[in-house]
Amino acid sequence: MSYELLTMIWFFLLGVLLCGYAILDGFDLGVGILHPFLAKDDYERRLVMNSIGPLWDGNEVWLVTFGGALFAAFPVAYATVFSSFYTAFYLLLTCLIGRAVSLEFRSKVSSPLWRRIWDWAFFLSSITAALLLGVAGGNVLAGMELGPKYRYEGNLLSQIYWYPLLVGALTVSLFALHGAIYLYLKTEDDLQARVRRAITPLFFVFAGLYLIVTLATWWHVPHATANISRHPWLWIVPVLNALAVLNIPRAMHWGRPGYAFFSSSMVILALATLFSVEIFPNFMLSTIDPAYSVTLENARSSRDTLETMLIIAGIGFPCVLSYTVIIYWIFRGKVKLDPHSY
Amino acid sequence: MDVEMLSRLQFAGTIMFHYLFPPLSIGLGLQLFLCELAYFRTRNLAWEAAARFWTRVFAVNFAMGVATGIVMEFEFGTNWAAYSRFVGDVFGSALAAEGIFAFFLESGFLAVLVFGWDRVGPKMHLLSTLMVFLGSVFSAVWIVVANSWQQTPAGYHIVWHDVQGEMMPRAEVTDFWEMVLNPSSVDRLTHTLIGAFVLGAFFVASVCSYYLLKNRHQEIAKRCLAISLPTALLFTFLAAATGHDSAQKLVETQPAKLAAMEGHFHSSDQPTGLNLFGWPDTENETVRFNVELPYLLSLLVYNDPTKPVPGMDQIPKDERPPVWLPFQTFHLMVALGTMMILVAAYACWSWYRGAYEQRRWLLWAMVFMPVAAMTANQAGWVTAEVGRQPWIVYPSVQNGVEMMGLRTADGLSESVTAEQVLSSIVLFGIIYSMLFAVWIFVLNHKIQHGPESPEELAEYKKKLHAESMSEAFGHHGTSRGGGMMEDGTQ
């Protein structure tokens, strides 16, 4: 296999890991964002948390494996991206830790104060994590102040301005919508009715932000659309994206929540694909001088390593898919509390 | 302080905090599997009650391991960008393999292990427990392989790349299996895993001994002791044996580390003695207040009491590791290891004679053994990592060609400032202190609550069966949660 082809395959596989993460942890984060607003009492809050109880940990592994795969396949990108986002990334890690421990510890002690503290920690860490992921994505899309020899010249403050914040808001609204549809599938009775009532406004917030971010990207990130203009067949991605967005209210209306969940997953998939199409062939575009950018070519590992890693992925991916299917099958159906629940 | 020292402190702090959890997950995973296997073979509910209890303890510990482990996966990139570029081709593959082979397996089957007791049959559950245990072992395999490659690199060459006009070196894999099976991987892996098994065995023995002291959960405690005491004895012995093997290899692969661990400053043509304890003084190249046993180091290293061991003076001055810290942590590990062998042996003997429960001081000693095992695990890693300095990747010779190493000081992120690192240290210092307090609190809560009795478990199972029957006939109850535990606090 040629070096170029291997490089493209690894760029694609990283996209797969990123989509896997965004779709799976997306509903987890969304459930965390909605948790204080939809559940009325302690029992319902436990139901909401346990709807993702057995799954969130496996979902986060997609992010961890994305990190490992980026390190292995494009070490220069791994090194440059994570050191450039130093402070933002430590805040994201704080949020991921906060989520893990609030899920794990909340219901272990019956004191109401203890539980209220963890409920808030769960909400704040979920919403901040979603926001930060979006802000990072927005910065990568818009390009960053990367100097010579991969030395980043900005800081946290130069990463926080209107465009990445808009992308962050879009991410929060998308995950909240995705999480709401998931909760609708997992709950019953009163709680489910309340979730149903929340889906429509969440959809409109998301659709509004979706339009705004699309226009903002056109205006603020002119290079983002260059790949699509060069390869017009890529228009299929935004068109499918728009169809998937519109299909969410349609499927909910016809009482097919599973189909709606599939649609919101497809929206995430399409947005992540669009993101990859737009940044290609850079991992991080330098706004100082394009020659300083981190690209597929200057970031990749050696040919032999990409090939070995492909063998590892070829053995690993089928296993991963099979356990994911088994686990989701075992925990299918409405969420119920038992002695081992959170 | 400069970025290098701060980044090293941060890495040491985050990895040591992380390493409180994985060895306990690995070790407890084995004990849990053995309990569940006993249930599977005997169908005695006492074993199932025990397995359910250890699962709850395991889950808390595992969550802490995941939460603190995510940080590690990205910290190479955030703080050690130059290092990541230098080793990514090699080190990255091991880390990615860990993700795909170990983490998915662990986290997937963990769901069945923790939440699947009433959803899957005993066979599937036992299989899930085994998979979680194997996942944690695979994770240790890949991460220790990656670390061992830094210590004794193999199967690679250095390639120079043009980066915007400047030539920069990078390590690239030439032979994957030679990289994986580098000269120290197997020894270090077995020693690391055995250290984890020791901790798991003592942890179970500690909790059970506590129950015996308090006259609680006696039946289950005794059953679990029958597993944990002999495994503790077996693994403490194996820890000593594998540690000895590792140290013998060091004289070939990392003589500077060995010299630091032993506080051996001056080479001579006389047989080398062993410093039993002391206070190394690097400035004057001597060990103060030391008690030296003649011939012993030569004997231990070469199996020959007269062959001299090379000292620190053989190493160029700018390639010497610190001595005081590796010396003390190594000696601490050996001392604790020896004590654990003695305690485990005496405990097994007492158990065999039926006198274990009467020896209250022994029960109390057992209660505190996990602290000793945990400390020994940490001390071993401090020895290994500080003894590797000043290198982040050791230099080596491959097929007669000298390969450059990478110094720790050259591995940092160029764009990260001391203020940034200091702020992340403060942030994580606060978070980790809180987490530690919460972890101890919840762990204690679970241990104080203890397992349910076999009778309670039988009652619960009967009720569960009745509920599922009534549901099958369409009588929806408004029952909120199981009877055994109303609100998840168990």
Side-chain angles (χ1 to χ4, degrees):
Chain A
M1 225 180 270
S2 80
Y3 199 9
E4 302 312 316
L5 180 62
L6 278 167
T7 310
M8 290 300 295
I9 290 176
W10 272 103
F11 185 70
F12 172 76
L13 287 178
L14 284 169
V16 171
L17 285 168
L18 192 65
C19 288
Y21 173 69
I23 291 173
L24 296 174
D25 215 31
F27 71 71
D28 278 15
L29 289 166
V31 165
I33 295 167
L34 299 171
H35 169 254
F37 306 109
L38 293 178
K40 288 291 171 231
D41 58 17
D42 187 64
Y43 173 72
E44 287 189 355
R45 276 192 280 273
R46 287 189 63 210
L47 276 183
V48 168
M49 283 189 149
N50 280 290
S51 71
I52 58 168
L55 309 172
W56 69 269
D57 178 18
N59 295 346
E60 245 165 46
V61 171
W62 288 80
L63 179 68
V64 173
T65 305
F66 172 81
L70 185 66
F71 195 176
F74 300 99
V76 176
Y78 170 85
T80 313
V81 172
F82 292 122
S83 59
S84 304
F85 283 111
Y86 191 90
T87 308
F89 208 76
Y90 272 95
L91 291 175
L92 175 65
L93 291 173
T94 307
C95 294
L96 294 179
I97 293 176
R99 274 169 52 78
V101 295
S102 14
L103 274 164
E104 189 58 52
F105 291 141
R106 179 198 179 273
S107 300
K108 297 292 188 279
V109 175
S110 45
S111 139
L113 177 67
W114 168 276
R115 292 190 169 187
R116 198 165 321 133
I117 291 173
W118 288 116
D119 281 339
W120 278 101
F122 185 52
F123 164 70
L124 283 176
S125 51
S126 300
I127 192 167
T128 318
L131 182 73
L132 286 168
L133 286 166
V135 166
N139 273 291
V140 170
L141 261 182
M144 295 174 70
E145 295 155 293
L146 198 60
K149 313 261 157 57
Y150 315 124
R151 189 185 286 265
Y152 178 60
E153 292 177 359
N155 54 41
L156 181 66
L157 292 178
S158 51
Q159 290 160 6
I160 297 180
Y161 61 97
W162 66 273
Y163 180 73
L165 284 174
L166 268 182
V167 182
L170 176 72
T171 314
V172 171
S173 69
L174 173 57
F175 287 174
L177 176 65
H178 190 49
I181 302 172
Y182 175 77
L183 266 183
Y184 183 84
L185 286 168
K186 297 298 268 190
T187 53
E188 297 169 292
D189 309 328
D190 286 358
L191 179 57
Q192 193 188 31
R194 233 173 291 132
V195 173
R196 179 69 189 87
R197 283 198 294 278
I199 288 178
T200 312
L202 280 170
F203 174 78
F204 282 111
V205 172
F206 164 71
L209 281 165
Y210 175 75
L211 273 178
I212 295 172
V213 170
T214 306
L215 294 174
T217 306
W218 233 303
W219 183 66
H220 179 68
V221 196
H223 64 259
T225 44
N227 281 326
I228 300 190
S229 340
R230 209 171 303 139
H231 304 283
W233 59 270
L234 283 171
W235 272 104
I236 195 166
V237 183
V239 169
L240 285 179
N241 193 352
L243 287 178
V245 170
L246 295 174
N247 202 40
I248 295 172
R250 184 171 158 266
M252 286 310 294
H253 180 74
W254 292 109
R256 296 178 62 194
Y259 190 37
F261 185 71
F262 173 77
S263 303
S264 63
S265 304
M266 286 306 110
V267 172
I268 296 177
L269 177 70
L271 282 173
T273 310
L274 212 53
F275 174 81
S276 317
V277 165
E278 288 175 354
I279 64 169
F280 183 86
N282 299 304
F283 279 105
M284 199 188 257
L285 179 74
S286 168
T287 51
I288 297 175
D289 180 345
Y292 300 153
S293 301
V294 178
T295 65
L296 257 66
E297 200 188 328
N298 65 25
R300 64 190 172 182
S301 282
S302 66
R303 212 195 81 90
D304 285 358
T305 293
L306 291 181
E307 205 163 59
T308 315
M309 290 294 304
L310 193 60
I311 297 171
I312 290 177
I315 302 167
F317 256 120
C319 301
V320 169
L321 288 181
S322 57
Y323 342 123
T324 308
V325 170
I326 292 174
I327 304 312
Y328 277 78
W329 174 251
I330 290 176
F331 293 99
R332 71 192 181 280
K334 301 290 178 188
V335 52
K336 293 243 164 30
L337 297 187
D338 70 31
H340 296 277
S341 300
Y342 286 130
Chain B
M1 257 189 287
D2 58 356
V3 182
E4 183 192 350
M5 206 55 213
L6 286 168
S7 287
R8 281 179 63 187
L9 277 177
Q10 174 172 314
F11 202 91
T14 48
I15 191 75
M16 286 174 77
F17 188 69
H18 175 59
Y19 204 64
L20 293 173
F21 312 107
L24 186 54
S25 291
I26 297 172
L28 192 55
L30 179 65
Q31 300 289 321
L32 174 61
F33 175 70
L34 293 175
C35 279
E36 209 177 326
L37 188 66
Y39 166 68
F40 192 75
R41 301 288 293 260
T42 62
R43 297 297 163 129
N44 184 322
L45 280 182
W47 282 120
E48 185 181 336
R52 282 182 184 243
F53 169 66
W54 295 119
T55 303
R56 295 198 287 268
V57 176
F58 182 89
V60 172
N61 188 64
F62 193 90
M64 291 290 285
V66 172
T68 55
I70 299 178
V71 179
M72 305 319 304
E73 187 84 15
F74 297 100
E75 200 167 2
F76 304 107
T78 53
N79 293 65
W80 304 93
Y83 161 80
S84 300
R85 283 186 215 111
F86 182 77
V87 302
D89 200 271
V90 183
F91 194 92
S93 359
L95 228 56
E98 185 188 19
I100 204 151
F101 291 137
F103 292 153
F104 278 111
L105 186 68
E106 265 182 309
S107 63
F109 284 99
L110 180 78
V112 185
L113 169 60
V114 176
F115 300 96
W117 281 102
D118 305 325
R119 277 184 178 253
V120 298
K123 203 183 268 179
M124 177 66 191
H125 199 274
L126 181 68
L127 177 80
S128 304
T129 308
L130 179 65
M131 288 300 149
V132 172
F133 170 65
L134 285 180
S136 65
V137 171
F138 291 162
S139 163
V141 168
W142 289 105
I143 203 68
V144 174
V145 159
N147 180 276
S148 297
W149 183 85
Q150 287 177 267
Q151 315 267 356
T152 55
Y156 72 114
H157 62 165
I158 301 286
V159 179
W160 293 79
H161 290 268
D162 181 353
V163 177
Q164 298 160 22
E166 190 186 338
M167 297 307 281
M168 305 274 261
R170 175 164 100 164
E172 292 185 1
V173 180
T174 49
D175 183 335
F176 182 74
W177 289 110
E178 205 185 318
M179 181 277 277
V180 171
L181 298 170
N182 66 67
S184 65
S185 317
V186 175
D187 280 324
R188 299 176 80 245
L189 176 65
T190 37
H191 192 57
T192 304
L193 284 176
I194 286 166
F197 296 152
V198 168
L199 176 59
F202 276 124
F203 182 84
V204 170
S206 159
V207 175
C208 293
S209 302
Y210 177 77
Y211 288 152
L212 291 183
L213 281 165
K214 299 286 169 188
N215 290 323
R216 283 192 242 156
H217 318 296
Q218 304 237 3
E219 186 192 353
I220 290 171
K222 282 183 201 160
R223 282 176 192 272
C224 293
L225 278 166
I227 292 180
S228 58
L229 290 180
T231 42
L233 181 60
L234 171 70
F235 289 123
T236 44
F237 260 111
L238 289 176
T242 52
H244 173 67
D245 269 358
S246 281
Q248 283 200 331
K249 297 259 171 61
L250 273 185
V251 75
E252 300 297 326
T253 54
Q254 293 175 302
K257 186 192 277 185
L258 183 70
M261 279 156 55
E262 304 290 356
H264 178 34
F265 287 101
H266 302 288
S267 309
S268 72
D269 47 9
Q270 298 298 310
T272 317
L274 179 88
N275 287 315
L276 198 58
F277 51 81
W279 192 271
D281 173 353
T282 317
E283 205 145 303
N284 300 307
E285 305 202 334
T286 175
V287 180
R288 293 177 194 281
F289 320 113
N290 69 326
V291 173
E292 189 180 313
L293 303 177
Y295 301 105
L296 197 55
L297 189 60
S298 292
L299 180 69
L300 284 175
V301 170
Y302 292 117
N303 302 327
D304 169 0
T306 57
K307 190 172 172 186
V309 178
M312 195 61 101
D313 51 8
Q314 304 288 311
I315 311 292
K317 273 221 151 80
D318 66 338
E319 293 179 15
R320 292 184 192 171
V323 176
W324 188 87
L325 191 57
F327 179 91
Q328 300 298 7
T329 50
F330 174 65
H331 283 76
L332 178 66
M333 175 184 76
V334 174
L336 288 171
T338 313
M339 179 193 75
M340 286 188 280
I341 294 180
L342 295 176
V343 172
Y346 188 66
C348 282
W349 172 247
S350 306
W351 181 264
Y352 175 70
R353 301 295 303 261
Y356 184 71
E357 285 165 75
Q358 282 84 54
R359 301 197 165 126
R360 292 184 68 84
W361 67 269
L362 180 60
L363 293 174
W364 275 115
M366 194 56 83
V367 169
F368 290 99
M369 272 299 123
V371 179
M374 194 83 101
T375 311
N377 275 309
Q378 297 275 0
W381 273 107
V382 172
T383 311
E385 297 302 279
V386 178
R388 191 194 66 223
Q389 304 302 329
W391 302 104
I392 196 165
V393 178
Y394 244 67
S396 73
V397 178
Q398 303 294 321
N399 307 322
V401 184
E402 275 194 36
M403 299 284 169
M404 65 178 285
L406 185 72
R407 282 175 184 271
T408 308
D410 298 329
L412 295 161
S413 297
E414 304 83 348
S415 49
V416 172
T417 62
E419 291 75 42
Q420 279 179 309
V421 184
L422 191 62
S423 57
S424 57
I425 291 181
V426 171
L427 177 69
F428 273 69
I430 296 169
I431 295 173
Y432 280 6
S433 312
M434 279 169 25
L435 279 187
F436 187 72
V438 171
W439 178 61
I440 294 291
F441 175 73
V442 171
L443 201 59
N444 181 52
H445 192 86
K446 297 220 165 261
I447 292 168
Q448 296 300 344
H449 185 285
E452 51 273 352
S453 67
E455 295 75 33
E456 282 167 323
L457 185 60
E459 188 75 13
Y460 169 72
K461 289 194 154 197
K462 210 183 283 169
K463 196 172 153 215
L464 199 70
H465 184 68
E467 261 175 32
S468 69
M469 291 305 277
S470 78
E471 220 162 84
F473 290 107
H475 303 296
H476 282 288
T478 45
S479 122
R480 292 187 149 199
M484 223 173 22
M485 174 198 57
E486 288 298 340
D487 59 358
T489 52
Q490 212 161 31

